[in-house]
Amino acid sequence: MQSVDVTRRENLGLLIKEAGSQAALSEVIGKAPAQISQWLNASANSRTGKPRVMSNAIAREIEEKTGKPTGWMDQPASSSALSIPGGSNVELELPQGVRRVPVISWIQAGIWTEIVNTFAPGDADDWLITSDRVSDKSFVLKIRGNSMEPDFKEGDTVVIDPSVTPRPGSFVAAKNGREEATFKKYRPRSIDLVGNEIFELVPLNEDYPTMRSDETPITIIGTMVEHRRYFR
């Protein structure tokens, strides 16, 4: 019979699978990804030399925050999966007030309006937990390049909500004339003769050019509603 520590590590792995990633579970249970890694790997405490194991209090806290019954973390993985209707493939029950949003590629973002209704969980690169105030069509992009420095650095994540109309100075994801997204600052300029708004997409890094909607086909995909930066 395996130890409780091993069982908890296995069930922690199930929770990560249900959440979509270790980072997503970290947001749900309010524990740092590094701490989850220590529990998974039973890494040694640098001071005592003993493995870092999950305490009973932490196990109960994780059960509560993930919607599992008390004692679920201590049941062997095979039986714990059977104890949940649908088995281990059940989607993680999120706390009230939050939503799971897909992290997608720039190519996917460029055609988001066409694929959003058929987008499946396996199509996402990762998942991010955020407020349920964003719409169910929201998505996440990881910033690449340095065109938006210093405010946005490569590797930062932004939550884009297609239901939010941009205002002057908003940051937006837009289709840049190709089947790919770009992320820039939104600046309205004027109205053309037929009533269409002319706007610019402005990089914060002055080394990059500004795009104008009357010169290049541009379609706004959504407006940034959240910006995250992870410090290492």
Side-chain angles (χ1 to χ4, degrees), residues 14 19 35-36 59 75 77 98 118 131 134 149 202 215 225 232:
L14 284 178
Q35 189 171 12
I36 295 176
Q75 299 178 35
V98 300
T118 59
S131 168
V134 304
E149 289 188 351
V202 185
E215 298 174 351
V225 293
R232 295 191 176 118

Side-chain angles (χ1 to χ4, degrees), residues 2-48:
Q2 66 185 25
S3 69
V4 171
D5 294 336
V6 172
T7 298
R8 287 176 179 173
R9 288 202 298 273
E10 290 179 350
N11 287 331
L12 188 61
L14 284 178
L15 291 176
I16 291 171
K17 181 179 179 181
E18 292 175 1
S21 71
Q22 189 166 313
L25 180 63
S26 170
E27 302 243 5
V28 173
I29 66 175
K31 305 297 179 185
Q35 189 171 12
I36 295 176
S37 294
Q38 290 170 353
W39 291 328
L40 282 173
N41 303 317
S43 55
N45 185 302
S46 59
R47 183 172 58 85
T48 65

Side-chain angles (χ1 to χ4, degrees), residues 93-122:
E93 183 179 341
L94 297 175
Q96 187 174 5
V98 300
R99 182 189 299 280
R100 195 170 72 144
V101 181
V103 180
I104 65 175
S105 71
W106 292 81
I107 295 294
Q108 287 174 316
I111 56 174
W112 186 247
T113 55
E114 288 83 12
I115 68 172
V116 61
N117 291 329
T118 59
F119 192 81

